[in-house]
Amino acid sequence: QLQLQESGPRLVKPSETLPLTCTVSGGSLSSGGSSWGWFRQPPGKGLEYMGNIYYSGRTLYNPSLKSRLTMSVDTSKNQFSLTLNSVTASDAAVYFCARIGGVATFGGIIHPWGQGTLVTVSS
Amino acid sequence: SSELTQEPAVSVALGQTVRITCQGGNLRRFYANWYQQRPGQAPSLVMYGKDNRPSGIPDRFSGSISGNTASLTITGAQAEDEADYYCNSRDSSGDLVVFGGGTKLTVL
C-alpha cells in the first residue's frame, strides 16, 4: 500500500527558505504515468495546488508560486522535495504531498495523500 | 481565483440525499475528482472520473457530470459524512491541477 510522509521544519522565519521532503513507501516514484505533487492549506482555508514533478524530473508549478518554488526528486531515496524561498506569513499552512495519477482526461487523481505537516512562519 | 466553483456550504438531514456541485468550463474536457476532508485530517479521494469509487468508499456516494457541472451525490447521508468536500480537475492548459473552493457539508 502506497504511503507518503512529509518531513521538514515546523517553524520558518520570514524571508527564509522552507524545505520539505516527501518520502514514498510501499511503491516507487517511477510508477508509470504518475507524478508527485505538493499542496497546501492555510488554516481555515481551501486547498491550493503548488506544483508537481515527474520521475524524469519534469516540473509543473502553480504560476502564483513559480518564482519562489523549486521541486526535485531523489530516486535513490524514493523521495521528492520542495523549497519555497522568501517565505512570508501568507505561506503558513499545512503542506501535503500526494501522488497524482490517472490519464489526462481524469483531471489529475490525487491519491494517496500524506498526513500533512503544519508550517508556521514567525520570527 | 479558482477555475472551479463550489457552493460554500450545504446541509442535509440525516438519511436524506444531498448533491454537491462543481462548475467549470474545463469540465467539458476533463473529469472532476472529489475529496472528503474531515477536521484535522488530510483530504481523501471519494470519487474519480465520471462515477468511480475508490475501494472502501460506500456506495451511497455517486458521481455525475452534466455539461460543465460535476456533481457528488450522497444518498442517505450519515453523520460521518459531515466534512469539507473539494473537487479538482485540470486548468485550461491541461497541465496544472485546480481545486474548487470547497463545500462544507453539515448533516443535521
Side-chain angles (χ1 to χ4, degrees):
Chain A
Q1 180 181 356
L2 190 68
Q3 292 184 314
L4 293 85
Q5 177 69 59
E6 305 87 353
S7 59
R10 302 296 180 92
L11 177 65
V12 182
K13 291 182 170 60
S15 80
E16 295 191 342
T17 294
L18 169 65
L20 291 173
T21 294
C22 184
T23 300
V24 179
S25 60
S28 172
L29 281 176
S30 62
S31 296
S34 295
S35 66
W36 306 90
W38 287 99
F39 308 87
R40 67 181 184 177
Q41 185 173 38
K45 297 189 177 180
L47 296 168
E48 180 182 26
Y49 160 77
M50 299 182 70
N52 55 302
I53 186 166
Y54 289 83
Y55 175 75
S56 63
R58 179 193 178 209
T59 53
L60 292 164
Y61 297 141
N62 185 325
S64 68
L65 297 169
K66 190 173 184 177
S67 64
R68 300 192 292 130
L69 185 61
T70 302
M71 292 184 182
S72 61
V73 62
D74 186 336
T75 55
S76 67
K77 294 181 180 179
N78 224 28
Q79 294 176 334
F80 60 103
S81 302
L82 75 76
T83 58
L84 184 65
N85 300 324
S86 306
V87 301
T88 68
S90 63
D91 294 311
V94 177
Y95 286 74
F96 299 98
C97 61
R99 180 180 67 179
I100 304 174
V103 297
T105 53
F106 273 70
I109 301 169
I110 307 167
H111 176 75
W113 297 67
Q115 66 183 27
T117 186
L118 176 63
V119 175
T120 301
V121 179
S122 174
S123 56
Chain B
S1 64
S2 173
E3 296 185 34
L4 298 176
T5 302
Q6 297 181 240
E7 50 272 91
V10 172
S11 61
V12 61
L14 184 67
Q16 296 303 300
T17 297
V18 62
R19 184 171 68 180
I20 300 169
T21 63
C22 174
Q23 186 175 39
N26 299 337
L27 297 184
R28 295 184 186 275
R29 295 175 56 200
F30 306 108
Y31 286 119
N33 309 299
W34 292 92
Y35 306 87
Q36 178 190 70
Q37 187 180 34
R38 296 189 175 107
Q41 296 185 14
S44 178
L45 181 71
V46 294
M47 190 67 57
Y48 64 96
K50 184 177 180 181
D51 184 17
N52 300 283
R53 283 178 287 107
S55 175
I57 300 303
D59 61 5
R60 63 178 179 271
F61 288 84
S62 62
S64 62
I65 180 81
S66 177
N68 70 342
T69 301
S71 299
L72 176 71
T73 299
I74 307 174
T75 303
Q78 301 300 301
E80 61 263 32
D81 299 333
E82 185 164 287
D84 294 327
Y85 290 84
Y86 293 90
C87 62
N88 93 283
S89 189
R90 295 285 186 181
D91 74 340
S92 54
S93 75
D95 282 336
L96 306 182
V97 169
V98 290
F99 286 101
T103 298
K104 181 176 182 61
L105 175 66
T106 300
V107 180
L108 304 173

